[in-house]
Amino acid sequence: MIKTSILDAGKLQEFTKERKLQPFRVKQIYQEVFKNQNINFADMTTLSKDLREDLDKEFSVVTLEVDKILEDESTTKIWFQTHDGFMIEAVIIYHRQDEKYNKNDEKKLNRITLCISSQVGCPMGCLFCVTGKLGFKRNLTRDEMISQIFYANKYIKDKFGKQDDGTLFGVRNVVFMGMGEPLLNYENVKKAIEIMLRQEAGFSLSKRHVTISTAGIIPGIRQLIKDEIPVKLAISLHAPNQALRDKLMPIAKAYPLEALERVLSDYVKASDNRIFYEYIMIKNMTDKPELARELVTMLRRKLAHVNLIPYNNNPAISLTESDAKDIQIFKKILEEGGLTVTVRDSMGRQMKWACGQLWYEKLTKEEE
Ligand code: SAH
Ligand code: SF4
Protein backbone atom coordinates (compact mmCIF):
# COMPACT_ATOMS: atom_id res chain seq x y z
CA MET A 1 0.00 0.00 0.00
CA ILE A 2 1.25 3.48 -0.82
CA LYS A 3 1.15 5.61 2.30
CA THR A 4 0.09 9.25 2.29
CA SER A 5 2.82 11.86 2.13
CA ILE A 6 3.27 13.73 5.40
CA LEU A 7 3.18 16.92 3.33
CA ASP A 8 -0.49 16.30 2.52
CA ALA A 9 -1.67 18.91 5.01
CA GLY A 10 -5.37 18.12 4.44
CA LYS A 11 -4.93 14.44 5.23
CA LEU A 12 -2.82 15.24 8.26
CA GLN A 13 -5.52 17.61 9.56
CA GLU A 14 -8.11 14.87 9.09
CA PHE A 15 -5.91 12.42 10.91
CA THR A 16 -5.45 14.72 13.89
CA LYS A 17 -9.17 15.56 14.00
CA GLU A 18 -10.20 11.90 13.99
CA ARG A 19 -7.93 11.32 16.95
CA LYS A 20 -9.05 14.51 18.66
CA LEU A 21 -5.46 15.70 18.85
CA GLN A 22 -4.74 19.31 19.60
CA PRO A 23 -3.85 21.45 16.58
CA PHE A 24 -0.31 22.10 17.81
CA ARG A 25 0.47 18.43 17.18
CA VAL A 26 0.60 19.11 13.46
CA LYS A 27 3.20 21.76 14.09
CA GLN A 28 5.10 19.35 16.26
CA ILE A 29 5.10 16.69 13.58
CA TYR A 30 6.43 19.14 11.00
CA GLN A 31 9.09 20.26 13.46
CA GLU A 32 10.25 16.67 13.75
CA VAL A 33 10.44 16.39 9.99
CA PHE A 34 11.92 19.74 8.99
CA LYS A 35 13.88 20.84 12.04
CA ASN A 36 14.92 17.57 13.67
CA GLN A 37 15.50 16.02 10.24
CA ASN A 38 13.73 12.77 11.08
CA ILE A 39 12.27 10.57 8.38
CA ASN A 40 11.20 7.62 10.54
CA PHE A 41 8.27 8.17 12.87
CA ALA A 42 9.89 5.87 15.46
CA ASP A 43 12.65 8.47 15.90
CA MET A 44 10.24 11.34 16.59
CA THR A 45 10.56 11.23 20.34
CA THR A 46 8.74 14.48 20.99
CA LEU A 47 5.58 12.61 19.97
CA SER A 48 3.88 9.92 22.05
CA LYS A 49 4.54 6.31 21.14
CA ASP A 50 0.92 5.75 20.14
CA LEU A 51 0.93 8.74 17.86
CA ARG A 52 4.17 7.64 16.23
CA GLU A 53 2.73 4.21 15.57
CA ASP A 54 -0.51 5.58 14.19
CA LEU A 55 1.34 7.99 11.93
CA ASP A 56 3.53 5.21 10.67
CA LYS A 57 0.50 3.20 9.60
CA GLU A 58 -0.82 5.95 7.34
CA PHE A 59 1.95 8.34 6.40
CA SER A 60 5.46 8.41 5.07
CA VAL A 61 7.98 11.25 5.06
CA VAL A 62 10.15 10.11 2.16
CA THR A 63 7.92 8.90 -0.66
CA LEU A 64 10.83 7.32 -2.58
CA GLU A 65 12.78 4.12 -1.91
CA VAL A 66 16.53 4.37 -1.67
CA ASP A 67 18.09 1.98 -4.14
CA LYS A 68 21.80 2.62 -3.83
CA ILE A 69 24.30 5.08 -2.42
CA LEU A 70 27.84 5.77 -3.64
CA GLU A 71 30.13 8.13 -1.85
CA ASP A 72 33.51 9.77 -2.11
CA GLU A 73 35.12 12.52 -0.08
CA SER A 74 33.19 15.38 -1.56
CA THR A 75 29.91 13.82 -2.70
CA THR A 76 27.22 11.32 -1.82
CA LYS A 77 25.27 10.06 -4.80
CA ILE A 78 21.88 8.61 -4.10
CA TRP A 79 19.65 6.65 -6.45
CA PHE A 80 15.99 6.60 -5.55
CA GLN A 81 13.29 4.39 -6.92
CA THR A 82 9.83 5.88 -7.40
CA HIS A 83 6.70 3.95 -6.40
CA ASP A 84 6.14 3.11 -10.07
CA GLY A 85 9.60 1.66 -10.53
CA PHE A 86 11.64 4.50 -12.08
CA MET A 87 15.11 5.54 -11.00
CA ILE A 88 16.09 9.11 -10.23
CA GLU A 89 19.15 10.56 -8.60
CA ALA A 90 20.31 13.23 -6.21
CA VAL A 91 23.82 14.27 -5.20
CA ILE A 92 24.96 15.76 -1.91
CA ILE A 93 28.03 17.94 -2.34
CA TYR A 94 30.20 18.82 0.65
CA HIS A 95 32.13 22.05 0.38
CA ARG A 96 34.94 21.91 2.87
CA GLN A 97 36.55 24.93 4.36
CA ASP A 98 40.09 23.79 3.68
CA GLU A 99 39.47 23.72 -0.03
CA LYS A 100 40.63 26.70 -1.97
CA TYR A 101 37.25 27.05 -3.66
CA ASN A 102 35.67 28.30 -0.51
CA LYS A 103 34.81 31.96 -0.48
CA ASN A 104 35.93 34.02 2.49
CA ASP A 105 32.39 34.55 3.64
CA GLU A 106 31.91 30.79 4.07
CA LYS A 107 33.45 30.20 7.46
CA LYS A 108 31.49 27.09 8.37
CA LEU A 109 33.07 23.67 8.42
CA ASN A 110 30.71 22.46 5.71
CA ARG A 111 28.45 24.15 3.29
CA ILE A 112 26.28 21.48 1.83
CA THR A 113 24.58 21.59 -1.56
CA LEU A 114 22.01 19.14 -2.82
CA CYS A 115 21.49 18.60 -6.51
CA ILE A 116 17.98 17.29 -7.12
CA SER A 117 16.06 15.78 -10.03
CA SER A 118 12.82 17.29 -11.28
CA GLN A 119 11.77 14.67 -13.86
CA VAL A 120 12.34 11.01 -14.63
CA GLY A 121 14.59 11.34 -17.68
CA CYS A 122 14.30 14.43 -19.86
CA PRO A 123 12.59 15.13 -23.19
CA MET A 124 15.15 17.68 -24.40
CA GLY A 125 17.70 15.32 -25.93
CA CYS A 126 20.81 17.50 -25.65
CA LEU A 127 23.67 15.98 -27.58
CA PHE A 128 26.08 15.79 -24.65
CA CYS A 129 23.74 14.63 -21.90
CA VAL A 130 23.09 11.09 -20.71
CA THR A 131 19.76 12.01 -19.15
CA GLY A 132 18.69 13.17 -22.58
CA LYS A 133 19.56 9.73 -23.94
CA LEU A 134 17.20 8.11 -21.46
CA GLY A 135 14.23 9.95 -22.87
CA PHE A 136 11.36 11.27 -20.78
CA LYS A 137 9.19 9.15 -18.51
CA ARG A 138 7.28 11.53 -16.27
CA ASN A 139 7.37 14.60 -14.06
CA LEU A 140 8.27 14.22 -10.41
CA THR A 141 5.68 15.35 -7.90
CA ARG A 142 6.34 18.11 -5.40
CA ASP A 143 6.70 15.52 -2.67
CA GLU A 144 9.13 13.40 -4.68
CA MET A 145 11.34 16.46 -5.08
CA ILE A 146 11.05 17.36 -1.39
CA SER A 147 11.70 13.73 -0.43
CA GLN A 148 15.18 14.03 -1.92
CA ILE A 149 15.89 16.83 0.59
CA PHE A 150 14.30 14.98 3.52
CA TYR A 151 16.44 11.96 2.85
CA ALA A 152 19.61 14.00 2.35
CA ASN A 153 19.04 15.91 5.59
CA LYS A 154 18.66 12.71 7.58
CA TYR A 155 21.73 11.27 5.89
CA ILE A 156 23.78 14.40 6.65
CA LYS A 157 22.58 14.47 10.24
CA ASP A 158 23.69 10.87 10.77
CA LYS A 159 27.04 11.59 9.16
CA PHE A 160 27.95 14.96 10.67
CA GLY A 161 25.64 15.58 13.64
CA LYS A 162 25.57 19.11 15.01
CA GLN A 163 27.34 22.29 13.98
CA ASP A 164 29.16 24.53 16.44
CA ASP A 165 26.02 26.54 17.07
CA GLY A 166 24.12 23.43 18.15
CA THR A 167 21.91 23.17 15.06
CA LEU A 168 22.09 20.12 12.83
CA PHE A 169 24.12 19.99 9.66
CA GLY A 170 21.82 19.86 6.69
CA VAL A 171 21.28 20.94 3.11
CA ARG A 172 21.91 24.67 2.71
CA ASN A 173 21.77 25.01 -1.07
CA VAL A 174 19.47 23.26 -3.50
CA VAL A 175 20.16 23.20 -7.24
CA PHE A 176 17.78 21.77 -9.85
CA MET A 177 20.62 20.24 -11.83
CA GLY A 178 19.84 16.56 -11.53
CA MET A 179 17.72 14.70 -14.04
CA GLY A 180 15.15 16.62 -15.98
CA GLU A 181 14.18 20.09 -17.13
CA PRO A 182 12.60 21.90 -14.16
CA LEU A 183 10.75 24.48 -16.24
CA LEU A 184 8.86 21.69 -18.03
CA ASN A 185 7.53 20.66 -14.62
CA TYR A 186 6.74 24.20 -13.62
CA GLU A 187 3.84 23.87 -11.19
CA ASN A 188 5.41 21.12 -9.11
CA VAL A 189 8.79 22.86 -9.07
CA LYS A 190 7.09 26.05 -7.92
CA LYS A 191 5.33 24.21 -5.11
CA ALA A 192 8.56 22.48 -4.09
CA ILE A 193 10.34 25.86 -3.96
CA GLU A 194 7.60 27.21 -1.70
CA ILE A 195 8.39 24.47 0.81
CA MET A 196 12.12 25.06 0.49
CA LEU A 197 11.76 28.75 1.31
CA ARG A 198 8.98 28.90 3.87
CA GLN A 199 9.61 28.84 7.60
CA GLU A 200 6.43 27.17 8.77
CA ALA A 201 6.41 23.53 7.65
CA GLY A 202 9.38 24.25 5.39
CA PHE A 203 13.17 24.28 5.19
CA SER A 204 13.63 28.08 5.58
CA LEU A 205 16.29 28.11 2.89
CA SER A 206 17.51 31.48 1.70
CA LYS A 207 16.21 32.38 -1.74
CA ARG A 208 19.82 32.95 -2.80
CA HIS A 209 20.52 29.32 -1.99
CA VAL A 210 18.07 27.78 -4.43
CA THR A 211 18.94 27.62 -8.14
CA ILE A 212 16.82 26.57 -11.09
CA SER A 213 18.85 25.42 -14.08
CA THR A 214 17.13 25.44 -17.45
CA ALA A 215 18.00 24.66 -21.03
CA GLY A 216 16.08 27.83 -21.95
CA ILE A 217 12.35 27.15 -21.85
CA ILE A 218 11.02 30.60 -22.68
CA PRO A 219 7.42 30.20 -21.43
CA GLY A 220 8.79 28.84 -18.15
CA ILE A 221 11.09 31.85 -17.73
CA ARG A 222 8.18 34.19 -18.47
CA GLN A 223 6.16 32.44 -15.82
CA LEU A 224 9.02 32.83 -13.31
CA ILE A 225 8.90 36.57 -13.97
CA LYS A 226 5.13 36.68 -13.61
CA ASP A 227 5.07 34.63 -10.42
CA GLU A 228 8.05 36.55 -9.03
CA ILE A 229 9.84 33.36 -8.06
CA PRO A 230 12.76 34.82 -6.14
CA VAL A 231 15.37 32.06 -6.55
CA LYS A 232 18.52 32.12 -8.70
CA LEU A 233 18.39 31.25 -12.37
CA ALA A 234 21.04 29.35 -14.32
CA ILE A 235 20.79 29.10 -18.10
CA SER A 236 22.43 26.17 -19.85
CA LEU A 237 23.67 28.25 -22.76
CA HIS A 238 26.58 26.15 -24.06
CA ALA A 239 26.88 28.13 -27.30
CA PRO A 240 27.09 31.84 -28.20
CA ASN A 241 25.31 31.51 -31.54
CA GLN A 242 22.22 29.89 -32.98
CA ALA A 243 23.99 27.49 -35.33
CA LEU A 244 26.11 25.83 -32.67
CA ARG A 245 23.30 25.84 -30.15
CA ASP A 246 21.05 24.10 -32.67
CA LYS A 247 23.63 21.36 -32.97
CA LEU A 248 23.99 20.82 -29.25
CA MET A 249 20.47 21.40 -28.01
CA PRO A 250 17.43 20.57 -30.14
CA ILE A 251 15.34 22.88 -27.96
CA ALA A 252 17.18 25.85 -29.45
CA LYS A 253 15.05 25.48 -32.58
CA ALA A 254 11.82 25.95 -30.66
CA TYR A 255 13.28 28.70 -28.47
CA PRO A 256 15.88 30.58 -30.52
CA LEU A 257 18.73 32.43 -28.92
CA GLU A 258 17.48 35.89 -29.82
CA ALA A 259 14.10 35.29 -28.21
CA LEU A 260 15.82 33.72 -25.22
CA GLU A 261 18.03 36.79 -24.82
CA ARG A 262 14.97 39.03 -24.87
CA VAL A 263 13.17 37.13 -22.15
CA LEU A 264 16.34 36.99 -20.05
CA SER A 265 16.72 40.71 -20.29
CA ASP A 266 13.10 41.05 -19.07
CA TYR A 267 13.97 38.69 -16.24
CA VAL A 268 16.94 40.78 -15.17
CA LYS A 269 14.87 43.96 -15.32
CA ALA A 270 12.06 42.46 -13.29
CA SER A 271 14.14 40.66 -10.68
CA ASP A 272 17.44 42.56 -10.64
CA ASN A 273 18.98 39.10 -10.33
CA ARG A 274 22.24 38.21 -11.97
CA ILE A 275 21.90 35.27 -14.35
CA PHE A 276 24.31 32.35 -14.28
CA TYR A 277 25.25 31.05 -17.69
CA GLU A 278 26.45 27.46 -17.91
CA TYR A 279 28.82 26.87 -20.79
CA ILE A 280 30.07 23.37 -21.48
CA MET A 281 33.67 22.91 -22.67
CA ILE A 282 33.75 20.26 -25.39
CA LYS A 283 36.99 19.74 -27.27
CA ASN A 284 37.05 21.24 -30.77
CA MET A 285 33.41 22.10 -30.51
CA THR A 286 32.57 24.76 -27.94
CA ASP A 287 36.06 25.73 -26.81
CA LYS A 288 37.37 27.78 -29.75
CA PRO A 289 38.70 31.29 -29.01
CA GLU A 290 36.36 32.89 -31.56
CA LEU A 291 33.42 31.46 -29.62
CA ALA A 292 34.77 33.06 -26.46
CA ARG A 293 34.83 36.38 -28.28
CA GLU A 294 31.26 35.86 -29.45
CA LEU A 295 30.24 35.09 -25.90
CA VAL A 296 31.80 38.34 -24.75
CA THR A 297 29.80 40.25 -27.33
CA MET A 298 26.64 38.51 -26.26
CA LEU A 299 27.00 38.94 -22.50
CA ARG A 300 28.94 42.16 -22.17
CA ARG A 301 26.88 44.80 -20.35
CA LYS A 302 24.53 42.15 -19.01
CA LEU A 303 24.07 41.15 -15.39
CA ALA A 304 25.75 37.80 -15.99
CA HIS A 305 28.15 35.28 -14.57
CA VAL A 306 29.66 32.53 -16.71
CA ASN A 307 30.35 29.08 -15.37
CA LEU A 308 32.58 27.01 -17.65
CA ILE A 309 31.85 23.31 -17.23
CA PRO A 310 34.47 20.91 -18.53
CA TYR A 311 32.50 18.29 -20.45
CA ASN A 312 32.19 15.13 -18.46
CA ASN A 313 33.46 12.33 -20.67
CA ASN A 314 31.38 9.24 -20.81
CA PRO A 315 31.49 6.21 -23.08
CA ALA A 316 27.87 6.54 -24.21
CA ILE A 317 28.64 9.77 -26.09
CA SER A 318 31.59 10.37 -28.41
CA LEU A 319 32.60 13.83 -27.25
CA THR A 320 35.73 14.81 -25.34
CA GLU A 321 36.50 17.24 -22.56
CA SER A 322 38.49 20.30 -23.61
CA ASP A 323 42.18 20.46 -22.74
CA ALA A 324 42.88 22.41 -19.58
CA LYS A 325 44.98 24.94 -21.48
CA ASP A 326 42.15 25.65 -23.94
CA ILE A 327 39.78 26.20 -21.03
CA GLN A 328 42.25 28.70 -19.57
CA ILE A 329 42.59 30.55 -22.89
CA PHE A 330 38.79 30.66 -23.22
CA LYS A 331 38.43 31.92 -19.68
CA LYS A 332 41.05 34.61 -20.20
CA ILE A 333 39.24 35.98 -23.27
CA LEU A 334 36.01 36.19 -21.28
CA GLU A 335 37.71 37.93 -18.40
CA GLU A 336 39.48 40.38 -20.66
CA GLY A 337 36.10 41.08 -22.19
CA GLY A 338 34.87 42.11 -18.73
CA LEU A 339 32.85 39.02 -17.78
CA THR A 340 33.01 37.28 -14.43
CA VAL A 341 33.89 33.64 -14.92
CA THR A 342 34.38 30.50 -12.88
CA VAL A 343 35.55 27.14 -14.10
CA ARG A 344 33.74 24.30 -12.44
CA ASP A 345 36.49 22.65 -10.45
CA SER A 346 37.06 19.05 -9.52
CA MET A 347 34.66 19.41 -6.62
CA GLY A 348 32.00 21.14 -8.65
CA ARG A 349 32.57 18.60 -11.34
CA GLN A 350 30.91 16.02 -9.20
CA MET A 351 27.80 18.09 -9.57
CA LYS A 352 27.52 17.53 -13.26
CA TRP A 353 27.59 13.84 -12.58
CA ALA A 354 24.10 14.44 -11.43
CA CYS A 355 22.84 14.99 -14.92
CA GLY A 356 22.30 11.41 -15.96
CA GLN A 357 25.92 10.53 -15.54
CA LEU A 358 25.23 8.60 -12.37
CA TRP A 359 22.70 6.56 -14.12
CA TYR A 360 25.23 5.59 -16.69
CA GLU A 361 27.79 4.72 -14.06
CA LYS A 362 25.32 2.44 -12.36
CA LEU A 363 24.37 0.67 -15.56
CA THR A 364 27.96 -0.03 -16.46
CA LYS A 365 28.80 -1.16 -12.91
CA GLU A 366 25.98 -3.65 -13.00
CA GLU A 367 27.08 -5.00 -16.34
CA GLU A 368 30.59 -5.73 -15.05
N1 SAH B 1 17.80 20.40 -17.71
C1 SAH B 1 18.40 21.43 -16.97
C2 SAH B 1 18.92 21.00 -15.62
C3 SAH B 1 19.65 19.69 -15.53
S1 SAH B 1 21.13 19.57 -16.42
C4 SAH B 1 19.51 22.09 -17.79
O1 SAH B 1 19.87 21.58 -18.82
O2 SAH B 1 19.96 23.15 -17.37
C5 SAH B 1 22.32 20.28 -15.34
C6 SAH B 1 23.60 20.75 -16.05
O3 SAH B 1 24.44 19.66 -16.41
C7 SAH B 1 23.30 21.50 -17.34
O4 SAH B 1 24.01 22.70 -17.39
C8 SAH B 1 23.77 20.50 -18.38
O5 SAH B 1 24.05 21.14 -19.56
C9 SAH B 1 24.95 19.87 -17.70
N2 SAH B 1 25.42 18.62 -18.32
C10 SAH B 1 24.70 17.64 -18.88
N3 SAH B 1 25.48 16.66 -19.37
C11 SAH B 1 26.75 17.03 -19.11
C12 SAH B 1 28.03 16.46 -19.39
N4 SAH B 1 28.17 15.29 -19.99
N5 SAH B 1 29.12 17.14 -18.99
C13 SAH B 1 29.00 18.33 -18.36
N6 SAH B 1 27.83 18.91 -18.08
C14 SAH B 1 26.71 18.28 -18.45
FE1 SF4 C 1 17.63 17.61 -20.34
FE2 SF4 C 1 19.30 19.37 -19.19
FE3 SF4 C 1 20.20 16.98 -20.07
FE4 SF4 C 1 19.47 18.84 -21.84
S1 SF4 C 1 21.17 18.98 -20.36
S2 SF4 C 1 18.91 16.66 -21.91
S3 SF4 C 1 17.77 19.81 -20.78
S4 SF4 C 1 18.74 17.32 -18.41
Side-chain angles (χ1 to χ4, degrees), residues 242-274:
Q242 185 66 32
L244 181 58
R245 206 158 188 270
D246 276 349
K247 250 207 249 172
L248 295 172
M249 308 173 79
I251 187 63
K253 296 206 174 64
Y255 301 121
L257 202 49
E258 256 184 71
L260 181 62
E261 284 187 75
R262 275 198 300 275
V263 73
L264 291 177
S265 119
D266 290 347
Y267 175 89
V268 170
K269 261 185 234 141
S271 67
D272 210 22
N273 267 352
R274 178 161 77 140

Side-chain angles (χ1 to χ4, degrees), residues 35-80:
K35 196 153 169 282
N36 303 347
Q37 294 171 208
N38 283 317
I39 59 174
N40 302 312
F41 293 108
D43 297 336
M44 301 185 184
T45 48
T46 64
L47 311 176
S48 73
K49 192 154 180 289
D50 285 352
L51 178 54
R52 280 183 261 162
E53 285 173 0
D54 282 358
L55 281 166
D56 194 38
K57 280 184 205 129
E58 288 190 37
F59 293 93
S60 53
V61 178
V62 175
T63 63
L64 301 162
E65 296 283 331
V66 174
D67 182 69
K68 191 178 163 176
I69 296 178
L70 269 187
E71 186 158 63
D72 61 24
E73 221 173 81
S74 57
T75 53
T76 303
K77 307 159 190 182
I78 308 160
W79 287 267
F80 294 99

Side-chain angles (χ1 to χ4, degrees), residues 122 124-126 128-129 131-132 180-181 215 355:
C122 180
M124 310 297 279
C126 299
F128 47 81
C129 175
T131 302
E181 169 47 57
C355 193

